[in-house]
Amino acid sequence: MFGINKKVIAVIFGVLALAFVVGSVLLFTPQGQRNTQGKIELTVNGRPVYELELARAQQNDPILSTNPQGLLKKLAEINFGDRLIVITALTQDTARVRVSSGELKKEIDTIKERFGLQKKEDYDRFLTQVGYTDSQLRNELRDQIRINKRIEEIQNKAEPTEEEMRLYFELNREQYKNEERVQARQIVLDDKATAEKIYAEVSAPGADFAAIAKANSKLNAEQGGALGAAAGKGEPGPVTRVVFPNAVADAVFKLRDGQISKPIEAGGRFYIVKVEKYLPAGDVQFEEVKDRVKEDAKRIKGNGALEAYLEGLRAKANVKFAQEATFKFENPVVAKVGDAEIKLSEVTQVVFANPQVPQLVQQGLGELAVQFFMPQTLEQLINREVIYQAAKQLNQPFFGSKSDIANQAQQWKTRDITVTEAEVRKYYDSNLANFTIPASAKVQAVNFKKEDKAKAEAFRAAALKGGKLEDLAKANSGTVEDFGVVNPGTMPPVPNRLVFLTRGTFPKGSLGEVSEVVKLEDGSFQVLLVNDRKAEVLRPFEEVKEQARQQVLATRRAEAAQKWVEEVRKAAKVENNLQKVLTALTPKEESKQEEPKTDPNPPSSNPSTPANPPANR
């Protein structure tokens, strides 16, 4: 539904490196004289930020460290500066959090272990290289521990109410549904002949499956083969598919009360399973899963508490730049939704957190990244704010971060949407590929040089007779390549065509199916060995009906949510000034250079649609 998720929180806490993160600061802090911290650049709530610590922090910023120019530099500075203010205010706010000597020692020991600093002289040399004294390092670590403790404290205090938990349960019933389960007993044996003999015994009228399991099974024998039984008990409890190997589960969950499976081979063993009771998937009551719901709701409410705490620190921060500061920035408002403001740093936080952006910056395509990502990111943030404000009018106990509340509001508005079996069947028939188990095979290849066709032929003849693959390959100057278990389209073209697009199978020997000698595109030769070949299988409708229903339902609800968002967006008072702000921030030299340029195909005036979006994002 809503696209931002929890990125804002993730981005803010990614910047804890500005305080201290072992690995980034220690690896990339510039070496040199550290006799002075330099002049004061700015103060946050009276706490000075010195020239040296500012330079260190800038060098660890993934964008500023690339020495960007023009508009990109301005945006990176705003993004960096806002995060610096938050982390400085956070460090101040946690200054009284107690850190024990044991906690600090643990962190120091972690650094020593990570960098192989076993001797005191190694540690001292290391500190000199990274420009820290032992005292400075300990102070930085102490700050980091305090911050982590405060975060944990805030999240732990966020207890969901009964009303919030019930709402969360109602909106997420599907994730709390019982899976289909069975109460069953099994007999596990080591060979097929014994398995067939035992199967005949348990299938006889009046046979005592539990007693036969106790006398013969290699697993669970003492409990009469009972699965899911309590310790020391012999009565089976409900179990899901995960307790069985896949092949066994597929067979077992087709059985119903009292039915017994034929011997099923899996992992070199043979399983005979009796289903005493089949329990279909279905809804549960809130009280049955209340503990799970509370755990999930607490995590979400903790995210909201953390977001509110950080926003409060940012709002209350008193920032003053030194008169001769070399680093100054303003954080302009780029959009409004009613009275709520969205500042430029909120957009850059999400944009610069996108892993593609630093890559594009390294390639000299930073401006393109800004052009493409910023308008669409701002549109997402505007939509989030619009939905957040609309959620307040629904009079429901939504909770968590703004993104969580936006998601919950959309779930609430679409909660009554259902789908018919006819719609599900139609979807299944139109999307058979979604419900098809692809063909598969275990494939190994033996490769030969261009001049070794005769050796390839000799290897093939030997492989059909049998032997150890590695020895046969080595004897004929071939090299073994193991593709593992593969599906169509996952191997190079020639072996893929031979295994999956050629009718029939290859001649079979003790090593498996052995292909003809084939010539590859580069002129070399190859022989394939194929085992465990399985054909493509379309899963029947009844088997995947619930999966198909969920897919159709998700699509219907997403469409309805989008329609509702469009409606509340039209009713909201939205002001988007991104392009105006970016133009104002663009250095005049760039603007003058760009003025003479004309474009025969001018870009769309819609700021959410980039003129030339990068291909294949």
Side-chain angles (χ1 to χ4, degrees), residues 394-461:
L394 297 177
N395 297 318
Q396 296 299 319
F398 303 131
F399 63 98
S401 66
K402 282 189 174 182
S403 294
D404 291 320
I405 290 172
N407 282 329
Q408 291 166 18
Q410 291 173 90
Q411 288 176 296
W412 174 259
K413 291 295 294 184
T414 60
R415 69 193 186 283
D416 294 329
I417 292 176
T418 58
V419 293
T420 66
E421 182 153 336
E423 290 176 311
V424 176
R425 181 76 208 207
K426 182 180 178 181
Y427 178 82
Y428 171 83
D429 291 338
S430 302
N431 297 275
L432 295 178
N434 292 355
F435 307 102
T436 298
I437 300 172
S440 65
K442 184 178 180 182
V443 181
Q444 293 172 296
V446 180
N447 300 306
F448 300 87
K449 296 178 180 179
K450 298 176 183 179
E451 62 272 17
D452 288 342
K453 183 178 181 181
K455 291 181 179 180
E457 297 282 5
F459 165 80
R460 180 178 183 274

Side-chain angles (χ1 to χ4, degrees), residues 286-334:
F286 172 72
E287 296 299 335
E288 296 178 65
V289 291
K290 185 175 180 178
D291 289 343
R292 284 175 57 198
V293 175
K294 182 176 182 179
E295 184 179 339
D296 294 339
K298 182 177 175 65
R299 183 180 64 254
I300 290 171
K301 192 160 187 178
N303 288 339
L306 189 55
E307 183 178 82
Y309 169 69
L310 293 171
E311 288 179 353
L313 287 179
R314 178 184 281 110
K316 291 185 293 184
N318 180 13
V319 181
K320 293 182 180 179
F321 293 96
Q323 189 172 0
E324 298 180 359
T326 57
F327 176 77
K328 292 183 180 180
F329 72 96
E330 292 183 1
N331 191 5
V333 174
V334 290

Side-chain angles (χ1 to χ4, degrees), residues 13 32 72 105 142 144 150 171 176 203 249 307 338 347 438 442 515 528 533 544 594:
F13 281 91
L72 184 61
K105 182 179 183 300
R142 194 177 287 109
Q144 184 68 58
R150 177 57 56 84
L171 297 181
Y176 297 108
S203 301
E307 183 178 82
V347 184
K442 184 178 180 182
S515 77
L528 300 176
R533 187 192 289 268
V544 296
E594 293 176 0

Side-chain angles (χ1 to χ4, degrees), residues 158-367:
E159 290 288 340
T161 65
E162 181 87 2
E163 190 179 20
E164 289 168 340
M165 288 191 291
R166 287 187 178 276
L167 172 72
Y168 188 80
F169 172 72
E170 289 300 325
L171 297 181
N172 297 277
R173 272 185 175 274
E174 296 295 337
Q175 75 185 51
Y176 297 108
K177 271 189 171 182
N178 276 331
E179 297 179 58
E180 59 175 347
R181 297 165 295 162
V182 291
Q183 288 177 225
R185 296 179 187 273
Q186 69 178 7
I187 299 173
V188 182
L189 302 159
D190 288 333
D191 65 276
K192 187 175 182 180
T194 305
E196 290 176 347
K197 174 178 172 291
I198 297 298
Y199 174 68
E201 289 183 31
V202 297
S203 301
D208 187 337
F209 192 99
I212 296 172
K214 194 167 188 177
N216 296 278
S217 184
K218 302 297 182 181
L219 294 175
N220 307 98
E222 67 282 358
Q223 294 174 299
L227 294 165
K233 302 294 183 181
E235 289 303 313
V239 295
T240 61
R241 296 176 63 94
V242 297
V243 304
F244 301 102
N246 289 339
V248 179
D250 290 342
V252 167
F253 279 84
K254 293 175 182 176
L255 303 178
R256 293 301 178 261
D257 297 4
Q259 293 183 324
I260 301 173
S261 72
K262 291 181 178 180
I264 310 157
E265 184 180 4
R269 284 182 155 180
F270 293 84
Y271 293 74
I272 303 169
V273 182
K274 180 178 181 179
V275 172
E276 295 188 354
K277 189 173 184 180
Y278 172 76
L279 304 168
D283 288 328
V284 296
Q285 297 301 310
F286 172 72
E287 296 299 335
E288 296 178 65
V289 291
K290 185 175 180 178
D291 289 343
R292 284 175 57 198
V293 175
K294 182 176 182 179
E295 184 179 339
D296 294 339
K298 182 177 175 65
R299 183 180 64 254
I300 290 171
K301 192 160 187 178
N303 288 339
L306 189 55
E307 183 178 82
Y309 169 69
L310 293 171
E311 288 179 353
L313 287 179
R314 178 184 281 110
K316 291 185 293 184
N318 180 13
V319 181
K320 293 182 180 179
F321 293 96
Q323 189 172 0
E324 298 180 359
T326 57
F327 176 77
K328 292 183 180 180
F329 72 96
E330 292 183 1
N331 191 5
V333 174
V334 290
K336 287 186 177 181
V337 179
D339 294 330
E341 296 179 341
I342 299 174
K343 291 194 172 183
L344 183 55
S345 63
E346 295 178 62
V347 184
T348 59
Q349 281 175 4
V350 180
V351 171
F352 290 148
N354 186 323
Q356 294 182 61
V357 172
Q359 294 174 12
L360 289 169
V361 171
Q362 291 283 356
Q363 297 167 24
L365 301 173
E367 294 289 350

Side-chain angles (χ1 to χ4, degrees), residues 83 140 155 359 532 559:
R83 294 186 301 159
E140 300 254 22
Q155 291 181 316
Q359 294 174 12
D532 301 329
E559 291 169 351

Side-chain angles (χ1 to χ4, degrees), residues 417-611:
I417 292 176
T418 58
V419 293
T420 66
E421 182 153 336
E423 290 176 311
V424 176
R425 181 76 208 207
K426 182 180 178 181
Y427 178 82
Y428 171 83
D429 291 338
S430 302
N431 297 275
L432 295 178
N434 292 355
F435 307 102
T436 298
I437 300 172
S440 65
K442 184 178 180 182
V443 181
Q444 293 172 296
V446 180
N447 300 306
F448 300 87
K449 296 178 180 179
K450 298 176 183 179
E451 62 272 17
D452 288 342
K453 183 178 181 181
K455 291 181 179 180
E457 297 282 5
F459 165 80
R460 180 178 183 274
L464 284 168
K465 294 177 183 178
K468 190 175 180 181
L469 175 60
E470 289 75 11
D471 292 343
L472 296 177
K474 186 177 181 181
N476 292 281
S477 304
T479 57
V480 178
E481 179 179 5
D482 191 349
F483 288 108
V485 178
V486 294
N487 304 116
T490 59
M491 289 190 297
V494 173
N496 182 73
R497 183 173 66 249
L498 284 173
V499 175
F500 294 113
L501 303 179
T502 303
R503 292 186 178 183
T505 58
F506 308 135
K508 194 167 186 178
S510 61
L511 293 176
E513 298 176 43
V514 183
S515 77
E516 300 291 335
V517 174
V518 295
K519 189 174 184 179
L520 301 180
E521 295 173 347
D522 64 357
S524 63
F525 296 94
Q526 187 177 73
V527 177
L528 300 176
L529 292 96
V530 182
N531 286 282
D532 301 329
R533 187 192 289 268
K534 294 178 183 177
E536 178 181 278
V537 177
L538 173 63
R539 298 172 69 188
F541 175 70
E542 289 300 324
E543 184 181 316
V544 296
K545 182 166 66 175
E546 179 59 22
Q547 178 185 342
R549 187 184 75 83
Q550 289 297 331
Q551 291 178 10
V552 177
L553 189 59
T555 300
R556 296 280 189 277
R557 287 179 173 171
E559 291 169 351
Q562 182 61 34
K563 184 177 180 181
W564 177 65
V565 171
E566 290 171 359
E567 290 173 357
V568 295
R569 174 74 182 254
K570 287 179 182 177
K573 186 179 178 182
V574 175
E575 188 180 320
N576 185 335
N577 295 313
L578 178 64
Q579 294 305 322
K580 187 185 297 184
V581 169
L582 293 182
T583 299
L585 287 172
T586 302
K588 293 180 180 180
E589 292 76 10
E590 286 188 19
S591 299
K592 288 179 181 178
Q593 289 174 3
E594 293 176 0
E595 278 178 8
K597 296 181 181 179
T598 58
D599 189 344
N601 299 302
S604 165
S605 60
N606 183 352
S608 67
T609 306

